[in-house]
Amino acid sequence: MQGNGPRETIFTMEATPIKYGPGASEEIGWETKRFGLKRVMLVSDPGVVKAGIAAHMQELLEAEGIEVELWDRSSVEPTSSSFQAAADFAKEGDFDGFVAVGGGSSMDTAKIANLISTHGGEIMDYVNPPIGGGRKPPGPLKTLICVPTTAGTGSEATTAAILDIPDMKIKTGISHAYLRPARGVVDPLLTRTAPAAVTSSAGLDVVCHAAESYLTLPFDQRPKIEDPDDRPPYQGANPVADMWSAKALEYGGKYLRRAVASGDDIEARGYMMLGASLAGVGFGSAGVHIPHACAYPIAGLKHEWTPTGYPTDHPFVPHGWSVIVTAPAAFRFTYDTMPERHHEVANLLAGEVIQNPDENTLPEVLIELMRDIGAPTGVRELGYSEDEIPQLVEGAIKQQRLLIGTPKEVTEEDLANIIRDSMENW
């Protein structure tokens, strides 16, 4: 528990309306028209454009009489500068809405382009403190419709946008209820061309979102807020978020290996797409903690590693892999606060009740999954040594909006031990 004052008694559950199913994206023109949009910024990235998906979405939009301007320069693992370029385009375009087609990078880019073009200000004004100013948007944004092409971030269902700030060697985020998309259109057919490595990293992000949210500090153990406006987007584990996260864990354990093995396994790809959205709703209410807090400096401190199966125009660590490498050690650390819930997560991922569980059960289930789908072995494989642990800790401890959800107090020494134990998971 945090502090000795009165405890929170309230939590909120908000969810993006989702349209799901093979072929759902064929209705993007109808979906956009029904919101009354006449001129939209279509936000995508070079890979999705190359696959022909962005062009087809543009055709569907234009067939409904909607004027479209394509922004095809979303960066994989976006930076403050790539966000700014998209925001400048949005400000000049006089759009009445946005459609994002791509992975979390494109969806997050659209969120920030929408935010800055609607309300002005600098990106750093809105970045979560203590890294940025923590400014709240003064009012709602324009309509944003998201069409994910990967099964990972669940950004179509969340209020957050994540960015890399190279000058500060840190990754962080902007989060507010007004960033939530108006609609998510989830079509598993759009993931068929995603390489195995992309499916692996994105799918492990789904698993971590669900596991971390299920294992956050419960909402009723947090200090009671004085003003409803101060209630954070991430409010702690609660019965409603648990349902969404539990289903996402079940799908991740049952279908992720199959989805990585074959792009043509539409059943597996479909359930992972659905799992990403479910996990997005779950962690969008409950929050995440240590693995995501550690992931941001792992991805932001150095830009030297080039992952197989991803664009080769710049080195970077894919988000899901940066998260998963510390998850086994992180959950070993949090185990003593809620053993039964850790057992439940392990059982959901394993698809069976594991006999005689202990603090190593969930880490072992995660490591087995990581090995099976070609994830990095640990932090060392991503280009780091023990000498850089202090810098990684410095970056992680800044992620207080996430670490506040850890079910027990976590110190810099604890984070150092977790990262050290994560150098090699096997």
Side-chain angles (χ1 to χ4, degrees):
M1 290 191 181
Q2 300 173 5
N4 298 312
R7 298 293 161 192
E8 185 59 89
T9 59
I10 299 168
F11 68 87
T12 62
M13 170 54 64
E14 298 177 3
T16 304
I18 297 291
K19 173 173 283 189
Y20 168 83
S25 62
E26 296 296 314
E27 300 182 6
I28 186 61
W30 181 87
E31 287 289 346
T32 305
K33 185 177 181 179
R34 78 184 183 92
F35 280 101
L37 303 183
K38 293 180 170 53
R39 175 173 166 78
V40 301
M41 178 175 169
L42 177 60
V43 181
S44 194
D45 67 68
V48 174
V49 170
K50 184 177 180 180
I53 297 171
H56 184 52
M57 294 300 106
Q58 184 167 351
E59 291 172 359
L60 293 169
L61 290 164
E62 291 175 342
E64 294 289 346
I66 299 164
E67 188 178 353
V68 180
E69 293 284 344
L70 174 63
W71 173 264
D72 61 0
R73 292 161 49 197
S74 296
S75 175
V76 177
E77 305 298 331
T79 64
S80 50
S81 60
S82 74
F83 273 176
Q84 188 63 57
D88 291 341
F89 185 85
K91 285 189 288 186
E92 295 170 2
D94 192 27
F95 303 105
D96 58 7
F98 297 78
V99 176
V101 181
S105 299
S106 292
M107 292 186 279
D108 288 0
T109 297
K111 289 176 181 178
I112 301 308
N114 192 359
L115 171 64
I116 300 299
S117 64
T118 302
H119 292 304
E122 301 296 325
I123 290 172
M124 289 302 296
D125 293 342
Y126 298 97
V127 167
N128 296 305
I131 298 166
R135 174 180 169 185
K136 299 175 182 178
L141 309 187
K142 297 174 182 176
T143 298
L144 166 61
I145 301 172
C146 286
V147 186
T149 60
T150 61
T153 66
S155 188
E156 70 277 4
T158 75
T159 62
I162 306 302
L163 71 158
D164 188 359
I165 306 175
D167 292 346
M168 300 176 68
K169 296 185 176 181
I170 193 69
K171 283 187 74 170
T172 185
I174 297 172
S175 182
H176 191 275
Y178 288 147
L179 269 64
R180 186 184 303 281
R183 188 73 158 172
V185 179
V186 181
D187 184 347
L189 297 181
L190 299 184
T191 70
R192 293 179 69 176
T193 59
V198 175
T199 306
S200 166
S201 179
L204 289 170
D205 195 24
V206 174
V207 168
C208 264
H209 282 155
E212 288 175 66
S213 63
Y214 203 85
L215 300 173
T216 56
L217 183 74
F219 80 99
D220 57 2
Q221 293 185 28
R222 296 185 174 207
K224 188 172 184 62
I225 61 161
E226 298 286 339
D227 183 343
D229 195 46
D230 293 331
R231 183 169 287 112
Y234 294 166
Q235 299 161 54
N238 61 77
V240 180
D242 285 353
M243 294 190 298
W244 297 82
S245 299
K247 204 65 180 177
L249 286 164
E250 178 187 331
Y251 289 164
K254 187 173 182 179
Y255 294 107
L256 180 52
R257 290 174 176 87
R258 283 173 48 186
V260 171
S262 173
D264 291 326
D265 189 338
I266 299 303
E267 180 184 42
R269 294 265 173 155
Y271 277 111
M272 286 309 301
M273 286 285 276
L274 189 56
S277 297
L278 297 177
V281 176
F283 91 84
S285 172
V288 290
H289 51 87
I290 294 173
H292 270 78
C294 291
Y296 293 151
I298 288 171
L301 182 60
K302 294 167 69 172
H303 298 84
E304 299 176 1
W305 194 64
T306 302
T308 302
Y310 276 84
T312 57
D313 58 335
H314 65 287
F316 66 97
V317 179
H319 177 65
W321 284 347
S322 70
V323 172
I324 197 65
V325 288
T326 62
F331 295 140
R332 199 175 288 116
F333 169 76
T334 57
Y335 176 82
D336 62 353
T337 63
M338 45 179 71
E340 288 305 316
R341 289 180 72 86
H342 284 69
H343 300 163
E344 290 164 9
V345 170
N347 292 340
L348 286 163
L349 282 172
E352 62 181 1
V353 176
I354 299 172
Q355 300 300 316
N356 303 314
D358 59 23
E359 71 275 9
N360 292 310
T361 301
L362 176 55
E364 288 169 356
V365 170
L366 287 171
I367 289 170
E368 183 179 4
L369 177 59
M370 292 165 65
R371 294 179 70 167
D372 287 348
I373 62 174
T377 58
V379 176
R380 193 183 310 281
E381 185 175 332
L382 302 180
Y384 293 98
S385 70
E386 283 83 357
D387 292 341
E388 290 155 315
I389 289 176
Q391 293 170 277
L392 293 171
V393 170
E394 182 182 0
I397 203 71
K398 291 178 181 177
Q399 310 298 330
Q400 286 300 312
R401 73 182 182 93
L402 306 182
L403 292 175
I404 197 171
T406 311
K408 69 179 184 181
E409 183 181 359
V410 56
T411 66
E412 292 187 22
E413 183 179 358
D414 295 326
L415 291 172
N417 290 334
I418 288 167
I419 295 170
R420 187 175 297 108
D421 292 343
S422 303
M423 280 290 165
E424 289 102 9
N425 284 299
W426 68 87

